[in-house]
Amino acid sequence: MALPDTFPGGTDQITVSGAARGQADAARHAFLEALSGVIVDPPVYHGFAGAIDRDTAGKIWTWMARDVFGEEAARLEDSIGSGADPLDAFDLLLPELLEKLKVNAIAEKNDRELDRRNTIQMGGEEARERLAPIIMAMRRRPLLVQAGKFGVAVGTISDEATLATALQSISITNPLTRALWMQAMVGHMANPSRVIAAAVAIAAGNTEARITNAGYGALVEAVLGHAQSQIGRLASQPNLFADIDFSCKAIDRFHRLMRAINYNLEIERRSPWGTIMTELTARLSERLERPMKEITINVTQALRRPRDGKDVMDADQVLSALNGLYLLMTVRKCRDSLAVNALLDQAWSDTGQTVEVLVTRALDMYRAAPAEPVARERLDAGIKMAEIRFNAEYAEILRRARDGAERRTAQG
């Protein structure tokens, strides 16, 4: 995602060459990649201690690179421009960057005007509130790398008692560092439900109070933070999503994360976590409404023969129809974590009827004119849609019928 080169409050209007801008972007990307374990994608509706908004992080880097450690940032840019690995180059300079930030913090304590100016330059009070987590993430970067590896490792533990022991081995007591650790860990966990279940076992209870008192509130918030980060991966404006695979993975990930909480914890609907879960579910579901309504329309347009003009297949329409059906199947699988039941039931019924009618019609047309390439193309598209919407067995029946018609034609 492209990040702005200017920020609220910025007064310097400096024209830079394309090469210089590219190097500056490379340095910023290295910074964001270094903190990737705790970076979340907008829109951010709820803030969590261990989750750092990508846009805010970008603005703060712009301020730091210009006003705090300009010389070091320039060296980072030059190093990356010369071919150095961005993360290696960032890590090499990290001690110097942290030292400059420390000097700046001391100066701010003795100069309220400097504090005020810096707050404006980094993007305002909201950005200022995220400065401490960003600096802590920079300081604890090696620890956060370990957290990611830990998240992968716990996914291989099948024994519940061993998993609980592993979770208890996280001995970090600083609240901010613990929140960052949990954020980085959850991002690498394929099945967060098992870890939440282990936390419940350790806490000897599944209420918000029990989990929080046992020190695993940050774990739940990390799950919520990652669930929130999936929302931005679905286009806010309709058009069936450009990358349907990416979108379906986001929906599935959202489902896994929300199910981890719903299946293991007793959440009061009006509690802080309950309120957040309700809103996140509504926000993601809103982005599904129009694409869900367009699925049947897209299938119809893709498989129906044009009433006027030359009979041709529109590849874009076929792609939209296939994408819509893939979306439909994903939403159906994840329906327990979404608020689209009525919409899903309608789309499921309508697409079933539409695909069945149109693929049968396409088969009849192919039997009547098996030498027509468009008839074959339409039938093949219909069979693929039937396979997605129904099952492979139904698609195989259609293929055998198609092949039978083809053989009869070959035999004269």
Side-chain angles (χ1 to χ4, degrees):
M1 177 178 293
L3 296 172
D5 293 307
T6 59
F7 45 88
T11 56
D12 294 335
Q13 301 294 325
I14 301 175
T15 301
V16 296
S17 68
R21 185 180 298 278
Q23 287 184 335
D25 286 344
R28 181 168 53 192
H29 291 326
F31 163 74
L32 293 173
E33 179 63 23
L35 303 190
S36 61
V38 294
I39 293 288
V40 295
D41 294 317
V44 175
Y45 305 106
H46 299 278
F48 301 102
I52 299 171
D53 171 34
R54 183 179 300 277
D55 288 348
T56 299
K59 291 176 184 177
I60 288 179
W61 170 260
T62 299
W63 162 71
M64 291 190 300
R66 188 189 64 186
D67 296 344
V68 180
F69 43 63
E71 180 182 342
E72 290 76 10
R75 285 162 50 201
L76 175 60
E77 294 162 11
D78 291 342
S79 181
I80 295 172
S82 299
D85 177 81
L87 284 181
D88 290 344
F90 181 84
D91 286 338
L92 189 63
L93 281 173
L94 188 52
E96 295 179 54
L97 305 184
L98 290 170
E99 182 60 30
K100 287 295 184 71
L101 285 167
K102 181 179 179 180
V103 171
N104 176 76
I106 293 172
E108 285 184 337
K109 288 182 180 180
N110 299 320
D111 188 342
R112 291 186 178 180
E113 179 59 21
L114 176 62
D115 182 283
R116 187 190 70 81
R117 288 200 310 271
N118 282 343
T119 298
I120 293 172
Q121 297 294 346
M122 70 179 69
E125 291 293 342
E126 290 186 6
R128 164 68 74 171
E129 290 175 1
R130 304 310 294 156
L131 178 61
I134 287 174
I135 294 176
M136 182 65 81
M138 293 170 67
R139 289 178 55 199
R140 299 299 187 188
R141 176 166 144 68
L143 193 65
L144 298 183
V145 172
Q146 292 179 16
K149 294 178 180 178
F150 186 89
V152 173
V154 296
T156 65
I157 301 175
S158 57
D159 181 70
E160 293 182 5
T162 304
L163 183 57
T165 300
L167 195 59
Q168 286 178 299
S169 71
I170 304 173
S171 57
I172 301 167
T173 56
N174 179 280
L176 179 53
T177 304
R178 189 174 179 86
L180 291 165
W181 166 279
M182 293 295 182
Q183 185 74 23
M185 179 185 75
V186 169
H188 289 79
M189 287 167 35
N191 187 2
S193 185
R194 295 179 60 249
V195 177
I196 294 288
V200 169
I202 296 169
N206 63 353
T207 64
E208 290 188 44
R210 284 275 191 178
I211 294 296
T212 301
N213 291 339
Y216 295 101
L219 171 61
V220 177
E221 291 197 351
V223 171
L224 291 172
H226 279 284
Q228 178 174 244
S229 194
Q230 306 310 307
I231 297 174
R233 298 177 183 184
L234 275 65
S236 60
Q237 297 300 321
N239 243 347
L240 258 178
F241 309 126
D243 188 338
I244 196 64
D245 184 57
F246 188 68
S247 299
C248 288
K249 285 180 179 179
I251 295 168
D252 181 71
R253 182 62 173 167
F254 181 88
H255 171 58
R256 288 174 180 269
L257 292 161
M258 298 298 272
R259 184 176 58 181
I261 299 175
N262 280 321
Y263 280 18
N264 293 291
L265 302 182
E266 188 68 34
I267 303 293
E268 295 291 336
R269 185 176 180 82
R270 295 185 179 180
S271 69
W273 289 347
T275 300
I276 291 171
M277 292 174 68
T278 298
E279 181 178 353
L280 295 184
T281 299
R283 295 281 189 177
L284 184 132
S285 298
E286 285 173 1
R287 298 194 175 208
L288 293 172
E289 287 183 4
R290 183 165 172 181
M292 290 285 289
K293 291 177 180 178
E294 292 179 345
I295 295 173
T296 304
I297 297 172
N298 289 330
V299 169
T300 301
Q301 291 178 340
L303 294 182
R304 178 184 288 168
R305 180 174 180 170
R307 295 179 179 176
D308 301 311
K310 185 179 180 181
D311 185 13
V312 295
M313 290 287 289
D314 187 318
D316 289 340
Q317 288 181 347
V318 172
L319 179 60
S320 292
L322 292 172
N323 282 350
L325 290 169
Y326 282 122
L327 175 69
L328 177 66
M329 302 307 290
T330 300
V331 170
R332 189 166 186 260
K333 183 181 72 171
C334 302
R335 67 183 303 163
D336 289 348
S337 300
L338 304 172
V340 292
N341 282 342
L343 201 60
L344 173 61
D345 290 342
Q346 187 67 52
W348 184 255
S349 175
D350 290 349
T351 56
Q353 294 175 14
T354 301
V355 170
E356 187 172 15
V357 168
L358 291 180
V359 77
T360 300
R361 188 179 299 170
L363 179 58
D364 291 341
M365 292 172 62
Y366 181 68
R367 284 169 171 162
E372 288 292 333
V374 176
R376 173 61 183 261
E377 189 179 354
R378 180 174 290 109
L379 179 56
D380 287 346
I383 291 173
K384 180 61 178 177
M385 293 180 202
E387 184 173 15
I388 298 169
R389 171 56 181 81
F390 295 107
N391 50 57
E393 290 76 14
Y394 180 41
E396 184 58 30
I397 292 172
L398 293 170
R399 289 192 184 96
R400 287 199 296 268
R402 178 200 64 193
D403 294 345
E406 187 175 4
R407 284 194 299 271
R408 286 191 294 273
T409 301
Q411 294 169 359

